[in-house]
Amino acid sequence: MVDNDFLNHRDRTVRGWGYTVFGRVVEGMETVDGIVALPTGSGGPFSKDVPKDAVVIRETLIHPL
């Protein structure tokens, strides 16, 4: 749960298109905290901060504002 500035859009010719990440946890923050607490390391193209065991989100709900 840190700011990953390198994922921000800069210029598509420099580092791709970037990512837009937004949302709000309205219920179940203990689940988010549980994911944050998992041990991490390198995985795939990432040199650090990847959960050692895969995290699978099986369901999400959209709540009206």
Side-chain angles (χ1 to χ4, degrees):
M1 299 216 336
V2 298
D3 192 359
N4 292 294
D5 286 336
F6 72 94
L7 295 175
N8 293 346
H9 172 73
R10 290 184 181 19
D11 181 327
R12 70 183 176 96
T13 63
V14 177
R15 286 201 70 177
W17 291 97
Y19 295 87
T20 301
V21 180
F22 57 91
R24 178 174 52 151
V25 178
V26 295
E27 169 179 339
M29 191 63 191
E30 64 278 359
T31 301
V32 176
D33 293 336
I35 294 170
V36 170
L38 293 173
T40 61
S42 63
F46 305 103
S47 61
K48 60 181 181 174
D49 297 331
V50 177
K52 291 189 181 252
D53 293 323
V55 174
V56 178
I57 298 173
R58 295 186 180 169
E59 181 180 22
T60 60
L61 301 173
I62 298 174
H63 291 269
L65 298 177

